[in-house]
């Protein structure tokens, strides 16, 4: 089921829906967080790996072009995992670090016990 998992950050790579005039809410280039991933069977579109994202709750798909599905997932192929900037991370490792000397904290003398 691809490499998607709940809690993962993904970026939308395809927000075009053929033959659909209703706004589907996702935007190409936007980052989303997966809240559900799994196989989904749709009576028109067939079976596909779908994801639901935290940022969008689609509600019931019962409009004029709807299919009656509740909070229908998006096809996972519309997203890709968000990739960290690996080259940037490597550059940070190679960057010289400033010399910072840490002075030890001064020791406080132990208190003497008094006899009472």
């Amino acid at each position: 089921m691809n490499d998607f998992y709940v809690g993962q950050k993904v970026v939308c790579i395809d927000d075009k829906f053929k033959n659909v005039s209703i706004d589907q809410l996702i935007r190409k280039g936007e980052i989303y967080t997966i809240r559900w991933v799994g196989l989904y069977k749709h009576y028109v579109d067939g079976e596909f790996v779908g994801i639901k994202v935290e940022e969008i709750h689609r509600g019931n798909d019962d409009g004029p072009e709807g299919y009656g599905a509740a909070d229908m997932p998006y096809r996972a192929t519309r997203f890709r995992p968000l990739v960290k900037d690996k080259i940037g991370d490597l550059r940070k490792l190679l960057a010289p670090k400033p010399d910072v000397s840490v002075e030890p904290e001064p020791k406080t003398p132990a208190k003497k016990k008094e006899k009472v």
Side-chain angles (χ1 to χ4, degrees):
M1 222 186 296
N2 295 333
D3 294 326
F4 293 114
Y5 56 88
V6 173
Q8 181 181 28
K9 298 285 186 186
V10 293
V11 62
C12 176
I13 57 172
D14 178 14
D15 63 355
K16 302 295 182 220
F17 290 79
K18 293 180 182 176
N19 304 319
V20 177
S21 62
I22 297 171
D23 184 6
Q24 298 299 303
L25 307 174
I26 58 173
R27 299 291 180 264
K28 187 174 182 176
E30 290 292 315
I31 297 169
Y32 300 95
T33 308
I34 295 177
R35 66 178 159 93
W36 179 89
V37 62
L39 285 177
Y40 186 79
K41 190 169 187 173
H42 190 274
Y43 75 93
V44 172
D45 296 332
E47 190 171 86
F48 59 90
V49 175
I51 67 170
K52 297 179 184 183
V53 296
E54 287 289 345
E55 295 79 6
I56 300 171
H57 290 264
R58 296 176 82 181
N60 288 333
D61 188 23
D62 53 8
E65 296 174 357
Y67 300 112
D71 195 27
M72 187 172 151
Y74 297 103
R75 286 183 179 275
T77 56
R78 294 185 176 281
F79 302 87
R80 71 164 171 75
L82 185 63
V83 183
K84 287 178 56 177
D85 180 10
K86 293 180 181 181
I87 292 175
D89 289 346
L90 290 173
R91 285 188 183 130
K92 288 178 192 173
L93 289 173
L94 297 174
K97 295 182 180 172
D99 289 335
V100 178
S101 60
V102 178
E103 294 183 23
E105 293 182 26
K107 292 184 179 180
T108 57
K111 293 182 180 179
K112 294 182 181 179
K113 292 183 181 178
E114 293 182 19
K115 290 185 181 179
V116 182

